[in-house]
Amino acid sequence: MGSTQPPHTPQPVLAGTSRAAVFLVFTVDHGGADAARELLGDLSGLVRAVGFRLPDDRLSCVAGIGSLAWDRLFDGPRPADLHPFEPLQGARHRAPSTPGDLLFHIRARHTDLCFELAAQITRRLTGHARIVDETHGFSYFDQRDLLGFVDGTENPEGTRAGQAAFVGEEDAAFAGGSYAIVQKYLHNLPQWDALPAEEQERVVGRTKADDIELPEDTQPADSHVALNKVEDADGEEQPIVRANMPFGSLARAEYGTYFIGYCRTPAVTEQMLRNMFLGAGDATHDRILEFSTATTGSLFYVPTTEFLDDPPAPSAPSAATSPAPVVTQAVDTSLGIGSLELPAVNTTSPKAF
């Protein structure tokens, strides 16, 4: 018996590791909704056109749409869990919420393809939207971050990755989509480098050279690993799919990690962040935040390719042409890396990211 459900072709969320990436976050101007819709509808063609030049370099692009932009772009229902990123204020560290209507996560083996596609997207949106964050990421040796630790070891693989990343029948109209949370973290490298390697390992929760998770009986409660394990009500660990990248600027003495986590529900990633910034159990916060500061934070729904290629009708003129919502931009304070898993919903005994 054939399925009556339409096909769900996810965007290339599971494209895997890449040597280069560009992350673009736009806000859509007043009157810019039509141009944004048209670009999203043409995105798959743009990726094919640019990627065809060097097909072995595996160019891919994932587009996400923020909560405030959704109703300006599309009529009809919206994804059940789409909402603005929720800022967090802990006793010592803060996760700010910053503006973001459109996210483009571009990956390839080489920077030239990423840059060319980013330029094509930007040209199409010029005069209709503005870039509020542009980050060029790079792969650092054997998938390490600039703190020197391997990042992404605990990513789920195979079927488990799809189950973790993609919305299922719990929100049937948006099945096959995903939710992405992004944050930029800036590292205080002089302070970090002054820490003995053995103490760095207690902060992260893994060994530095061979990337082995510390045994449970020696794992500090405030390590990054401990606070990023999230479990559901049945005690099952809830993973997310991370695609973090290092970035930096020598001139600005800027060294950072761009965190991007995909999940079928933002609740898992949000629980990880609460564990990190507000603490859990015996931990008052993720100790890695003492060396890394979160400077941005946004949440996006990532539709299926069918949705992008044939989107719903535009919003009514009154909504589509109304002024863009004013978003208060927070200033930063905290850290983040990526390499663990998140849980879905057990808020009583959190673990984190």
Side-chain angles (χ1 to χ4, degrees):
M1 186 180 299
S3 170
T4 58
Q5 295 297 321
H8 306 310
T9 307
Q11 294 190 64
V13 166
L14 304 182
T17 58
S18 63
R19 300 302 298 178
V22 172
F23 302 91
L24 292 177
V25 176
F26 288 85
T27 55
V28 178
D29 295 341
H30 171 52
D34 288 345
R37 278 176 48 87
E38 291 173 7
L39 168 68
L40 292 173
D42 293 342
L43 185 62
S44 58
L46 278 178
V47 175
R48 285 193 299 273
V50 175
F52 187 72
R53 303 183 200 176
L54 294 168
D56 292 339
D57 281 0
R58 306 201 308 261
L59 175 68
S60 68
C61 179
V62 172
I65 301 159
S67 178
L68 297 178
W70 186 272
D71 296 329
R72 298 174 60 204
L73 297 180
F74 309 117
D75 199 6
R78 49 185 284 139
D81 292 334
L82 180 59
H83 56 262
F85 181 84
E86 298 173 359
L88 298 172
Q89 179 64 65
R92 293 184 57 183
H93 305 288
R94 183 161 66 98
S97 175
T98 51
D101 289 336
L102 300 175
L103 166 72
F104 297 95
H105 176 198
I106 304 169
R107 285 178 274 188
R109 291 178 61 190
H110 296 102
T111 301
D112 53 355
L113 281 177
C114 295
F115 188 84
E116 174 63 16
L117 181 59
Q120 294 284 348
I121 291 170
T122 301
R123 288 186 195 115
R124 288 284 300 268
L125 291 177
T126 297
H128 309 288
R130 62 199 65 197
I131 296 173
V132 292
D133 186 56
E134 174 185 359
T135 301
H136 294 230
F138 53 86
S139 182
Y140 193 59
F141 297 102
D142 51 340
Q143 302 302 320
R144 292 179 186 269
D145 56 32
L146 295 182
L147 299 178
F149 284 77
V150 175
D151 193 4
T153 303
E154 298 299 332
N155 263 346
E157 298 179 336
T159 302
R160 189 164 173 257
Q163 291 173 340
F166 300 127
V167 176
E169 294 308 310
E170 68 273 14
D171 189 8
F174 295 94
S178 187
Y179 291 91
I181 286 182
V182 299
Q183 291 179 292
K184 286 177 74 172
Y185 287 89
L186 295 181
H187 307 313
N188 185 333
L189 279 195
Q191 186 181 356
W192 178 255
D193 290 341
L195 209 61
E198 184 174 311
E199 197 57 30
Q200 291 180 354
E201 292 176 342
R202 290 177 54 77
V203 172
V204 174
R206 307 188 72 88
T207 58
K208 190 170 186 177
D210 47 17
D211 186 37
I212 302 298
E213 187 171 317
L214 300 184
E216 188 172 342
D217 59 348
T218 61
Q219 182 73 256
D222 59 357
S223 75
H224 189 60
V225 164
L227 288 173
N228 274 272
K229 290 179 180 173
V230 177
E231 299 172 348
D232 64 14
D234 297 324
E236 184 175 348
E237 192 166 329
Q238 303 298 300
I240 64 170
V241 175
R242 293 175 173 80
N244 302 351
M245 294 290 274
F247 67 90
S249 166
L250 298 175
R252 295 191 295 272
E254 182 179 276
Y255 306 91
T257 294
Y258 196 98
F259 165 74
I260 179 166
Y262 292 101
C263 194
R264 65 188 301 158
T265 166
V268 175
T269 312
E270 290 171 333
Q271 183 60 52
M272 290 180 175
L273 295 178
R274 283 193 291 273
N275 293 348
M276 287 179 64
F277 288 86
L278 308 182
D282 294 333
T284 58
H285 61 270
D286 188 330
R287 198 176 163 202
I288 202 169
L289 298 179
E290 297 173 10
F291 306 91
S292 301
T293 299
T295 62
T296 68
S298 301
L299 188 158
F300 302 90
Y301 173 72
V302 174
T304 61
T305 56
E306 288 85 3
F307 183 100
L308 290 181
D309 291 343
D310 185 19
S315 299
S318 57
T321 59
S322 61
V326 175
V327 179
T328 301
Q329 177 155 8
V331 192
D332 71 43
T333 335
S334 325
L335 153 133
I337 280 188
S339 89
L340 302 112
E341 332 218 298
L342 328 157
V345 220
N346 188 347
T347 57
T348 54
S349 71
K351 299 277 174 136
F353 195 141

Short mmCIF file of all heavy atoms in Angstrom, two decimals, residues 65-103:
data_model
loop_
_atom_site.label_atom_id
_atom_site.label_comp_id
_atom_site.label_asym_id
_atom_site.label_seq_id
_atom_site.Cartn_x
_atom_site.Cartn_y
_atom_site.Cartn_z
N ILE A 65 15.21 29.52 8.31
CA ILE A 65 14.34 30.71 8.40
C ILE A 65 14.01 30.96 9.86
O ILE A 65 13.59 30.04 10.59
CB ILE A 65 13.06 30.50 7.58
CG1 ILE A 65 13.42 30.24 6.12
CG2 ILE A 65 12.12 31.70 7.70
CD1 ILE A 65 12.36 29.54 5.33
N GLY A 66 14.20 32.20 10.32
CA GLY A 66 13.95 32.55 11.71
C GLY A 66 12.48 32.76 12.00
O GLY A 66 11.65 32.96 11.09
N SER A 67 12.15 32.76 13.28
CA SER A 67 10.75 32.84 13.70
C SER A 67 10.09 34.14 13.26
O SER A 67 8.95 34.14 12.77
CB SER A 67 10.66 32.70 15.22
OG SER A 67 9.34 32.80 15.67
N LEU A 68 10.78 35.27 13.45
CA LEU A 68 10.16 36.56 13.12
C LEU A 68 9.98 36.72 11.62
O LEU A 68 9.09 37.45 11.17
CB LEU A 68 11.02 37.70 13.67
CG LEU A 68 11.15 37.74 15.20
CD1 LEU A 68 12.04 38.89 15.64
CD2 LEU A 68 9.77 37.86 15.86
N ALA A 69 10.80 36.06 10.82
CA ALA A 69 10.69 36.17 9.36
C ALA A 69 9.61 35.26 8.79
O ALA A 69 9.05 35.56 7.73
CB ALA A 69 12.03 35.83 8.70
N TRP A 70 9.34 34.16 9.49
CA TRP A 70 8.45 33.15 8.90
C TRP A 70 7.12 33.75 8.46
O TRP A 70 6.67 33.55 7.32
CB TRP A 70 8.22 32.02 9.89
CG TRP A 70 7.43 30.89 9.28
CD1 TRP A 70 6.07 30.76 9.22
CD2 TRP A 70 7.98 29.76 8.58
NE1 TRP A 70 5.74 29.63 8.54
CE2 TRP A 70 6.89 29.00 8.14
CE3 TRP A 70 9.28 29.34 8.31
CZ2 TRP A 70 7.06 27.81 7.43
CZ3 TRP A 70 9.45 28.15 7.60
CH2 TRP A 70 8.36 27.42 7.17
N ASP A 71 6.47 34.48 9.36
CA ASP A 71 5.14 35.01 9.04
C ASP A 71 5.19 36.16 8.03
O ASP A 71 4.17 36.52 7.46
CB ASP A 71 4.44 35.48 10.32
CG ASP A 71 4.18 34.31 11.27
OD1 ASP A 71 3.98 33.19 10.78
OD2 ASP A 71 4.19 34.54 12.50
N ARG A 72 6.36 36.74 7.84
CA ARG A 72 6.50 37.78 6.80
C ARG A 72 6.67 37.15 5.42
O ARG A 72 6.42 37.79 4.41
CB ARG A 72 7.71 38.68 7.11
CG ARG A 72 7.59 39.44 8.44
CD ARG A 72 8.88 40.19 8.74
NE ARG A 72 9.20 41.15 7.69
CZ ARG A 72 10.42 41.60 7.44
NH1 ARG A 72 11.43 41.15 8.15
NH2 ARG A 72 10.62 42.48 6.48
N LEU A 73 7.16 35.90 5.39
CA LEU A 73 7.45 35.26 4.11
C LEU A 73 6.34 34.33 3.63
O LEU A 73 6.10 34.22 2.43
CB LEU A 73 8.75 34.46 4.22
CG LEU A 73 10.03 35.24 4.51
CD1 LEU A 73 11.22 34.30 4.59
CD2 LEU A 73 10.27 36.29 3.44
N PHE A 74 5.68 33.65 4.59
CA PHE A 74 4.76 32.58 4.18
C PHE A 74 3.42 32.72 4.87
O PHE A 74 3.34 33.07 6.05
CB PHE A 74 5.35 31.20 4.54
CG PHE A 74 6.75 31.00 4.06
CD1 PHE A 74 7.79 30.82 4.96
CD2 PHE A 74 7.06 31.03 2.70
CE1 PHE A 74 9.09 30.64 4.53
CE2 PHE A 74 8.36 30.86 2.25
CZ PHE A 74 9.38 30.67 3.17
N ASP A 75 2.37 32.36 4.11
CA ASP A 75 1.04 32.27 4.68
C ASP A 75 0.86 30.84 5.22
O ASP A 75 1.64 29.95 4.90
CB ASP A 75 0.01 32.60 3.59
CG ASP A 75 -1.34 32.96 4.18
OD1 ASP A 75 -1.42 33.06 5.42
OD2 ASP A 75 -2.29 33.14 3.41
N GLY A 76 -0.17 30.63 6.01
CA GLY A 76 -0.49 29.29 6.46
C GLY A 76 0.20 28.90 7.74
O GLY A 76 0.75 29.75 8.45
N PRO A 77 0.21 27.60 8.04
CA PRO A 77 0.77 27.13 9.33
C PRO A 77 2.28 27.32 9.40
O PRO A 77 2.95 27.51 8.37
CB PRO A 77 0.40 25.64 9.34
CG PRO A 77 0.23 25.27 7.90
CD PRO A 77 -0.30 26.49 7.22
N ARG A 78 2.81 27.26 10.58
CA ARG A 78 4.25 27.40 10.81
C ARG A 78 4.75 26.20 11.60
O ARG A 78 3.97 25.53 12.29
CB ARG A 78 4.57 28.71 11.53
CG ARG A 78 3.74 29.00 12.75
CD ARG A 78 4.04 30.36 13.34
NE ARG A 78 5.31 30.34 14.05
CZ ARG A 78 6.22 31.32 14.00
NH1 ARG A 78 5.99 32.39 13.26
NH2 ARG A 78 7.32 31.23 14.70
N PRO A 79 6.04 25.92 11.53
CA PRO A 79 6.60 24.79 12.28
C PRO A 79 6.28 24.89 13.77
O PRO A 79 6.38 25.97 14.36
CB PRO A 79 8.10 24.90 12.02
CG PRO A 79 8.21 25.68 10.74
CD PRO A 79 7.06 26.63 10.74
N ALA A 80 5.90 23.76 14.37
CA ALA A 80 5.38 23.78 15.73
C ALA A 80 6.37 24.34 16.75
O ALA A 80 5.98 25.02 17.70
CB ALA A 80 4.97 22.36 16.13
N ASP A 81 7.67 24.08 16.57
CA ASP A 81 8.66 24.47 17.59
C ASP A 81 9.49 25.69 17.20
O ASP A 81 10.51 25.98 17.85
CB ASP A 81 9.61 23.29 17.87
CG ASP A 81 8.90 22.15 18.55
OD1 ASP A 81 7.90 22.41 19.24
OD2 ASP A 81 9.34 20.99 18.39
N LEU A 82 9.05 26.41 16.15
CA LEU A 82 9.84 27.58 15.73
C LEU A 82 9.53 28.77 16.63
O LEU A 82 8.38 29.18 16.78
CB LEU A 82 9.53 27.93 14.27
CG LEU A 82 10.28 29.13 13.70
CD1 LEU A 82 11.80 28.92 13.76
CD2 LEU A 82 9.85 29.40 12.26
N HIS A 83 10.55 29.32 17.24
CA HIS A 83 10.41 30.49 18.10
C HIS A 83 11.75 31.21 18.16
O HIS A 83 12.78 30.64 17.77
CB HIS A 83 9.96 30.07 19.51
CG HIS A 83 10.87 29.06 20.15
ND1 HIS A 83 10.62 27.71 20.15
CD2 HIS A 83 12.07 29.20 20.78
CE1 HIS A 83 11.60 27.07 20.77
NE2 HIS A 83 12.50 27.95 21.16
N PRO A 84 11.77 32.45 18.63
CA PRO A 84 13.06 33.15 18.74
C PRO A 84 13.98 32.44 19.72
O PRO A 84 13.53 31.79 20.67
CB PRO A 84 12.67 34.54 19.25
CG PRO A 84 11.23 34.70 18.87
CD PRO A 84 10.63 33.33 18.95
N PHE A 85 15.27 32.57 19.49
CA PHE A 85 16.27 32.02 20.41
C PHE A 85 16.07 32.64 21.79
O PHE A 85 15.92 33.87 21.93
CB PHE A 85 17.67 32.34 19.90
CG PHE A 85 18.78 31.80 20.78
CD1 PHE A 85 19.22 30.50 20.64
CD2 PHE A 85 19.39 32.62 21.72
CE1 PHE A 85 20.24 30.00 21.44
CE2 PHE A 85 20.42 32.14 22.53
CZ PHE A 85 20.85 30.82 22.38
N GLU A 86 16.07 31.80 22.81
CA GLU A 86 15.83 32.28 24.17
C GLU A 86 17.16 32.59 24.85
O GLU A 86 17.98 31.69 25.06
CB GLU A 86 15.08 31.21 24.96
CG GLU A 86 13.70 30.91 24.38
CD GLU A 86 13.02 29.73 25.06
OE1 GLU A 86 13.63 29.14 25.98
OE2 GLU A 86 11.89 29.41 24.67
N PRO A 87 17.39 33.87 25.21
CA PRO A 87 18.66 34.20 25.88
C PRO A 87 18.69 33.59 27.27
O PRO A 87 17.65 33.34 27.88
CB PRO A 87 18.61 35.73 25.94
CG PRO A 87 17.16 36.07 25.93
CD PRO A 87 16.50 35.03 25.07
N LEU A 88 19.91 33.36 27.76
CA LEU A 88 20.09 32.77 29.08
C LEU A 88 21.01 33.67 29.90
O LEU A 88 22.03 34.14 29.40
CB LEU A 88 20.69 31.37 28.98
CG LEU A 88 19.86 30.31 28.24
CD1 LEU A 88 20.69 29.03 28.04
CD2 LEU A 88 18.58 30.01 28.99
N GLN A 89 20.66 33.89 31.14
CA GLN A 89 21.51 34.67 32.04
C GLN A 89 21.82 33.82 33.27
O GLN A 89 20.95 33.60 34.12
CB GLN A 89 20.80 35.96 32.45
CG GLN A 89 21.62 36.82 33.42
CD GLN A 89 22.92 37.33 32.79
OE1 GLN A 89 22.88 38.11 31.84
NE2 GLN A 89 24.06 36.89 33.31
N GLY A 90 23.03 33.32 33.34
CA GLY A 90 23.44 32.55 34.49
C GLY A 90 24.07 33.46 35.53
O GLY A 90 24.15 34.68 35.37
N ALA A 91 24.57 32.85 36.60
CA ALA A 91 25.21 33.62 37.65
C ALA A 91 26.47 34.31 37.16
O ALA A 91 26.80 35.42 37.59
CB ALA A 91 25.53 32.70 38.83
N ARG A 92 27.17 33.67 36.20
CA ARG A 92 28.42 34.25 35.71
C ARG A 92 28.47 34.45 34.20
O ARG A 92 29.27 35.24 33.71
CB ARG A 92 29.60 33.35 36.12
CG ARG A 92 29.86 33.31 37.62
CD ARG A 92 31.10 32.47 37.93
NE ARG A 92 32.29 32.96 37.23
CZ ARG A 92 33.48 32.37 37.29
NH1 ARG A 92 33.62 31.27 38.01
NH2 ARG A 92 34.51 32.85 36.63
N HIS A 93 27.65 33.70 33.47
CA HIS A 93 27.79 33.70 32.02
C HIS A 93 26.44 33.89 31.36
O HIS A 93 25.41 33.49 31.90
CB HIS A 93 28.43 32.40 31.55
CG HIS A 93 29.74 32.12 32.20
ND1 HIS A 93 30.89 32.83 31.91
CD2 HIS A 93 30.09 31.22 33.17
CE1 HIS A 93 31.89 32.38 32.65
NE2 HIS A 93 31.43 31.41 33.43
N ARG A 94 26.49 34.46 30.15
CA ARG A 94 25.25 34.79 29.45
C ARG A 94 25.29 34.30 28.02
O ARG A 94 26.31 34.38 27.33
CB ARG A 94 25.07 36.31 29.45
CG ARG A 94 23.77 36.78 28.82
CD ARG A 94 23.47 38.18 29.27
NE ARG A 94 24.45 39.12 28.74
CZ ARG A 94 24.24 39.85 27.66
NH1 ARG A 94 23.13 39.72 26.98
NH2 ARG A 94 25.15 40.69 27.24
N ALA A 95 24.15 33.78 27.56
CA ALA A 95 23.96 33.41 26.15
C ALA A 95 23.02 34.42 25.53
O ALA A 95 21.82 34.41 25.81
CB ALA A 95 23.38 32.00 26.05
N PRO A 96 23.54 35.33 24.71
CA PRO A 96 22.68 36.38 24.15
C PRO A 96 21.83 35.86 23.00
O PRO A 96 22.18 34.88 22.33
CB PRO A 96 23.68 37.42 23.65
CG PRO A 96 24.88 36.61 23.27
CD PRO A 96 24.94 35.48 24.29
N SER A 97 20.71 36.54 22.75
CA SER A 97 19.89 36.29 21.57
C SER A 97 20.13 37.44 20.61
O SER A 97 20.02 38.61 20.98
CB SER A 97 18.41 36.23 21.95
OG SER A 97 17.60 36.11 20.80
N THR A 98 20.49 37.13 19.37
CA THR A 98 20.82 38.17 18.39
C THR A 98 19.96 37.98 17.14
O THR A 98 19.46 36.89 16.88
CB THR A 98 22.32 38.14 18.03
OG1 THR A 98 22.69 36.80 17.68
CG2 THR A 98 23.17 38.58 19.22
N PRO A 99 19.77 39.05 16.34
CA PRO A 99 18.85 38.98 15.21
C PRO A 99 19.27 37.96 14.15
O PRO A 99 20.46 37.72 13.92
CB PRO A 99 18.91 40.41 14.64
CG PRO A 99 19.40 41.25 15.74
CD PRO A 99 20.33 40.39 16.53
N GLY A 100 18.26 37.41 13.47
CA GLY A 100 18.54 36.48 12.38
C GLY A 100 17.25 36.04 11.70
O GLY A 100 16.42 35.38 12.33
N ASP A 101 17.05 36.46 10.45
CA ASP A 101 15.86 36.04 9.68
C ASP A 101 16.18 34.88 8.75
O ASP A 101 15.34 34.01 8.52
CB ASP A 101 15.34 37.22 8.84
CG ASP A 101 14.69 38.28 9.70
OD1 ASP A 101 14.23 37.96 10.82
OD2 ASP A 101 14.65 39.46 9.27
N LEU A 102 17.38 34.89 8.16
CA LEU A 102 17.78 33.84 7.22
C LEU A 102 19.19 33.37 7.57
O LEU A 102 20.07 34.18 7.86
CB LEU A 102 17.80 34.37 5.77
CG LEU A 102 16.48 34.91 5.21
CD1 LEU A 102 16.71 35.50 3.82
CD2 LEU A 102 15.42 33.80 5.13
N LEU A 103 19.37 32.06 7.55
CA LEU A 103 20.69 31.46 7.76
C LEU A 103 21.09 30.68 6.51
O LEU A 103 20.27 29.94 5.94
CB LEU A 103 20.65 30.48 8.95
CG LEU A 103 21.85 29.52 9.08
CD1 LEU A 103 23.10 30.28 9.54
CD2 LEU A 103 21.52 28.38 10.06
#
